[in-house]
């Protein structure tokens, strides 16, 4: 008999708005209090203390326009946030500060989350949807120097980029970019040649979210349909459909693979969080708590596997926190 799915460990209330993005910072060297950052429709970023289950700080830097991406840059004191005000803000949160130190004006009207990758100590690359609708721009941070602009070939008709993932095989290798587009395609881009290495039609509808496992050279994407698409990257850097998984209900807002590559979570339009084994995409659990669309899912980066958490944010203004499949 399968065990019934658990209840949330606890629920965070107090955003007063739909929750669009979540990011954990728990893996500090010193025994830090685990922190969760959330971005909401009302333009606020909340810094949650996971010991007290309360907001430590509320950050207001996007003119009350929806925040749909938050990331830390090498620790919880340096934060990046992206909002519907067409700005990406860099924050200094050290020693109790709550100041925006720099901004990138994207001039992009969509809601494609930027993607961040560390390339050297204190140096990052950021991929973001550009002003021209079909293009992706890659900048170096904190210098904001343009690295490249990735433009589809004339007549490609990919539409807007919907989701991005910068990745590299290992520390020294050249970063590559995976982009999911409005026409349902996933494209692998080379930053050095600025050319598309491979393109694969994975969905009939726009790609809403994707994640990629560089060790297994395998990725997964979801859209507004009832299908999860799993695809792989061969040695020649060609994308191929690996398998598809049909869902009970249509619509995936977000997908994330846990760092240990054992499980993944999806955020569903049907108000549910689904957990799958990553190896064979075996359905493991359906977490049914929220009363509206789940918009984002995020795994914590705790060093100790038994402490790992899953957070989900939804349109019902709540963030549910789960402890699930923590045995290694």
């Amino acid at each position: 008999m399968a065990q019934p799915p658990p209840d949330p460990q606890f629920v965070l209330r107090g955003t007063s708005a739909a929750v669009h993005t979540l990011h954990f910072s728990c893996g500090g060297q010193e025994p830090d209090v685990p922190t969760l950052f959330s971005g909401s429709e009302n333009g606020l970023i909340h810094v949650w203390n996971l010991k007290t289950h309360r907001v430590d700080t509320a950050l207001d830097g996007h003119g009350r326009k929806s925040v749909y991406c938050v990331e830390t840059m090498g620790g919880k004191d340096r934060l990046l946030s992206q909002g519907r005000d067409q700005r990406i803000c860099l924050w200094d949160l050290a020693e109790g500060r709550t100041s925006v130190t720099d901004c990138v004006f994207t001039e992009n009207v969509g809601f494609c989350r930027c993607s961040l990758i560390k390339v050297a100590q204190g140096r990052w690359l950021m991929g973001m949807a550009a002003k021209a609708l079909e293009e992706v721009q890659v900048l170096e941070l904190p210098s904001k120097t343009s690295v490249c602009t990735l433009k589809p070939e004339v007549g490609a008709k990919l539409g807007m980029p919907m989701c991005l993932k910068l990745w590299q095989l290992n520390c020294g290798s050249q970063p590559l970019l995976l982009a999911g587009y409005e026409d349902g395609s996933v494209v692998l881009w080379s930053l050095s040649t600025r050319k598309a290495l491979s393109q694969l039609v994975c969905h009939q509808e726009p790609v809403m979210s994707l994640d990629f496992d560089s060790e297994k050279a395998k990725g997964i994407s979801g859209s507004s349909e009832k299908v999860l698409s799993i695809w792989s990257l061969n040695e020649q850097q060609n994308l191929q459909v690996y398998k598809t998984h049909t869902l009970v209900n249509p619509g995936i807002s977000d997908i994330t693979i846990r760092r240990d590559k054992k499980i993944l979570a999806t955020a569903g339009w049907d108000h549910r969080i689904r957990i799958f084994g990553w190896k064979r995409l075996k359905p493991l659990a359906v977490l049914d708590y929220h009363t509206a669309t789940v918009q984002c899912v995020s795994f914590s980066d705790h060093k100790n596997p038994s402490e790992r958490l899953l957070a989900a944010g939804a349109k019902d203004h709540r963030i549910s926190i789960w402890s699930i499949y923590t045995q290694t």
Side-chain angles (χ1 to χ4, degrees):
M1 280 267 298
Q3 288 182 318
D7 291 326
Q9 269 216 323
F10 52 91
V11 176
L12 304 175
R13 296 175 175 86
T15 61
S16 307
V19 180
H20 284 287
T21 183
L22 293 165
H23 180 76
F24 280 99
S25 183
C26 309
Q29 296 306 313
E30 60 280 4
D32 269 353
V33 174
T35 302
L36 176 67
F37 297 90
S38 68
S40 304
E41 185 132 341
N42 59 9
L44 294 180
I45 299 153
H46 290 98
V47 186
W48 297 89
N49 179 318
L50 295 181
K51 291 242 161 72
T52 63
H53 306 173
R54 296 189 185 280
V55 174
D56 273 352
T57 320
L59 307 171
D60 184 359
H62 289 279
R64 296 296 163 132
K65 294 284 200 304
S66 178
V67 175
Y68 57 91
C69 182
V70 286
E71 292 280 346
T72 48
M73 299 174 72
K76 61 183 71 173
D77 291 341
R78 290 185 69 206
L79 188 72
L80 176 146
S81 64
Q82 181 179 16
R84 288 307 294 266
D85 59 349
Q86 301 180 27
R87 292 192 326 152
I88 293 170
C89 293
L90 303 177
W91 299 79
D92 172 15
L93 306 180
E95 297 166 351
R97 289 189 288 274
T98 56
S99 49
V100 174
T101 56
D102 208 348
C103 272
V104 175
F105 190 52
T106 65
E107 299 184 86
N108 179 274
V109 295
F111 46 88
C112 175
R113 291 176 186 160
C114 63
S115 177
L116 204 57
I117 189 170
K118 186 177 183 177
V119 287
Q121 196 58 41
R123 274 183 58 229
W124 303 74
L125 290 183
M126 178 180 71
M128 63 182 198
K131 183 182 179 181
L133 279 184
E134 294 193 347
E135 295 177 7
V136 175
Q137 191 176 9
V138 180
L139 301 181
E140 188 183 278
L141 294 179
S143 69
K144 302 199 287 189
T145 315
S146 180
V147 174
C148 61
T149 302
L150 305 173
K151 305 177 186 180
E153 287 180 8
V154 177
K157 293 195 169 68
L158 293 173
M160 291 192 297
M162 305 294 290
C163 47
L164 305 171
K165 175 84 177 178
L166 278 166
W167 63 280
Q168 57 191 149
L169 208 50
N170 45 48
C171 284
S173 61
Q174 186 69 35
L176 299 166
L177 177 91
L178 282 159
Y181 287 89
E182 204 175 356
D183 77 334
S185 294
V186 172
V187 178
L188 177 70
W189 290 92
S190 159
L191 303 191
S192 50
T193 66
R194 303 173 191 195
K195 294 267 192 298
L197 299 172
S198 180
Q199 178 182 341
L200 183 67
V201 178
C202 296
H203 302 276
Q204 305 297 309
E205 297 290 332
V207 185
M208 300 303 289
S209 181
L210 63 81
D211 203 359
F212 185 69
D213 173 356
S214 57
E215 291 165 28
K216 295 190 180 76
K218 199 171 77 168
I220 183 165
S221 53
S223 71
S224 57
E225 318 156 288
K226 281 188 178 181
V227 175
L228 291 175
S229 180
I230 300 94
W231 27 271
S232 58
L233 191 60
N234 68 12
E235 308 253 312
Q236 288 73 45
Q237 296 192 315
N238 288 322
L239 293 163
Q240 303 163 319
V241 173
Y242 178 72
K243 67 187 282 191
T244 57
H245 176 87
T246 305
L247 297 161
V248 180
N249 300 310
I252 292 292
S253 316
D254 196 16
I255 294 180
T256 184
I257 303 167
R258 196 167 70 183
R259 273 189 177 186
D260 63 0
K261 314 293 193 285
K262 294 279 196 332
I263 62 171
L264 67 98
T266 64
W269 294 7
D270 63 356
H271 313 172
R272 292 174 178 86
I273 305 144
R274 286 185 159 75
I275 309 293
F276 296 88
W278 177 222
K279 196 172 181 181
R280 296 190 181 84
L281 217 75
K282 181 185 174 186
L284 298 176
V286 179
L287 306 180
D288 190 1
Y289 167 77
H290 291 281
T291 56
T293 295
V294 183
Q295 315 232 60
C296 47
V297 279
S298 181
F299 286 106
S300 76
D301 54 351
H302 281 96
K303 294 270 191 286
N304 182 352
S306 67
E307 295 175 3
R308 282 186 193 135
L309 299 169
L310 167 67
K315 272 192 176 170
D316 61 10
H317 303 188
R318 292 178 194 163
I319 300 165
S320 58
I321 307 287
W322 310 77
S323 174
I324 188 161
Y325 292 101
T326 52
Q327 301 82 15
T328 49

